[in-house]
Every structure is written in C-alpha cells, then in structure tokens.
Amino acid sequence: MDNLSDLSDGLYLDVTDFAHSTPHWFQQLAEVWTEAGLLLFGMLFVAGWWRARSGAGDAMALALLAPLATAFGYVVSESLKSLVDEERPCRAVAGAPASLVPCPPTGDWSFPSNHAAIAGAAAVALALAWRGFVWLTVPMALLMAFSRVFVGVHYPHDVTVGLLLGGAVAFLAVRAATRPVRALVETARSSRTGAVVWCAGRGPRPRASTRPEGVRHGAR
C-alpha cells in the first residue's frame, strides 16, 4: 500500500508541476472545465431526452435513466468518500505546488472523486442511451477526471476509482431499471394528460402503408 501511495503522490506532483508550467490561459481553461464539464453532461441529458421523444419505449427509458443513474453513481461515491476520510493532496502532499483552485476544507474528503464518478456515470449512461455519442462522452469523462488532478484537488487514484465506480454503478442501474421504466413510458404515452404525453413523447410515428390501393381494399 505504501508503494501505491508513493506512486500516486509522485504522479500527483508530476501533473501539478506540469500544470504550473502551462500558460495562464490554459490553467484558466482547466479551472472552467472542471466544473463546466458537468453542465455539458446535463445539456446532453436534455438533448438525449428530446431526441428519444420520437423514439421507441426503450429509447425513452434509457434517456430518462441516464441522469438518474448518474445521480445514483454520485450517491455511491459520496457514501464511500464518507467512509474513507482521505485528506486532499493539496494539503497532504509535502512540497506540492499550490492548487490552481482553492483547496477544499478538511471534511470534504478526497477519495473517491465525486466529479470523476459523475463523469464516469454520465459517460456510460449516455453511451447506453445514445450509442453514437460514446466517442464524445468517454473523452469528456477522461478530461473531467484529469482536470481534477491538474487543478490540484485530487490524487490520480481518486479520479481513477471515481471513473470506474461511477461507470459501473450507472451500467448496473440502467440494466436493472430499463424494463420497468419502459413500462412506465408506455403507460405515460397512452395517458390522456397532455403534459404527461409531452414529457414521455408520442413515440415513433406509424409508417404509411405502401401497398397498392387495390390490394389494400382486397380488389382483384
């Protein structure tokens, strides 16, 4: 364990030293991304829900579950954080340069990274709901995790475990809940309440028949 701790400390120092060697505008960009990335994931949740309104029940179920599974990933991460009580590296690592953002107070523990857990959960949940977006969501999550080390508030092992934990929790949550949520979507789409139908979407439009008029009416 000491060797792993020393390795993580060394990687943390390497990343934070690199961060301080980058231009000021790049440091500011990292500071913005470490929080704004979460907002971008939120925008993708909304876009996925809007897209699924005209899709099948499974598509809408996955779109609705994406933010819920992400929230569940955060809850699991926060629960583990309260059990481990690991001090932030911006206070614990000797000789570390000052963090680019204010070091969180004692009691706001370091392991695992909630930002990384949220990013990992969102990346997996969105990839399940919107398969073509995996090329975007996974790099976003990796950048989010790296940015937390870059700005100096997490160890590398914090963000690595956060990513894996959030992604695994989201995957299991989506797989477990897709069927019952799909049933709820189908029920909502048959509702007579306009607001409910608008939220759940009307689903795919029936395809128009392509049979000749005579065949459609049984003509010979």
Side-chain angles (χ1 to χ4, degrees), residues 8-101:
S8 192
D9 285 1
L11 288 174
Y12 172 79
L13 288 171
D14 289 341
V15 173
T16 51
D17 285 342
F18 167 71
H20 279 266
S21 71
T22 58
H24 183 63
W25 65 265
F26 190 83
Q27 296 176 15
Q28 289 185 314
L29 185 63
E31 292 175 35
V32 170
W33 173 250
T34 195
E35 300 295 345
L38 299 179
L39 178 61
L40 184 54
F41 274 121
M43 293 171 63
L44 290 176
F45 289 145
V46 175
W49 161 75
W50 186 260
R51 172 178 175 270
R53 291 175 72 252
S54 59
D58 276 341
M60 177 53 78
L62 290 172
L64 293 174
L65 281 170
L68 296 176
T70 300
F72 189 42
Y74 163 75
V75 170
V76 173
S77 174
E78 180 63 24
S79 299
L80 180 58
K81 183 190 290 281
S82 65
L83 295 175
V84 176
D85 293 357
E86 178 188 74
E87 187 58 271
R88 295 277 179 165
C90 38
R91 268 191 301 275
V93 177
S99 56
L100 299 182
V101 298

Side-chain angles (χ1 to χ4, degrees), residues 47-168:
W49 161 75
W50 186 260
R51 172 178 175 270
R53 291 175 72 252
S54 59
D58 276 341
M60 177 53 78
L62 290 172
L64 293 174
L65 281 170
L68 296 176
T70 300
F72 189 42
Y74 163 75
V75 170
V76 173
S77 174
E78 180 63 24
S79 299
L80 180 58
K81 183 190 290 281
S82 65
L83 295 175
V84 176
D85 293 357
E86 178 188 74
E87 187 58 271
R88 295 277 179 165
C90 38
R91 268 191 301 275
V93 177
S99 56
L100 299 182
V101 298
C103 192
T106 299
D108 185 353
W109 306 114
S110 189
F111 179 87
S113 165
N114 283 342
H115 280 71
I118 292 171
V124 169
L126 283 166
L128 291 173
W130 203 340
R131 299 296 175 89
F133 258 37
V134 65
W135 61 269
L136 175 62
T137 61
V138 170
M140 281 176 58
L142 293 174
L143 282 173
M144 173 68 69
F146 178 76
S147 73
R148 300 302 288 168
V149 182
F150 186 91
V151 300
V153 295
H154 276 293
Y155 291 100
H157 67 264
D158 295 339
V159 299
T160 300
V161 173
L163 281 173
L164 296 175
L165 178 65

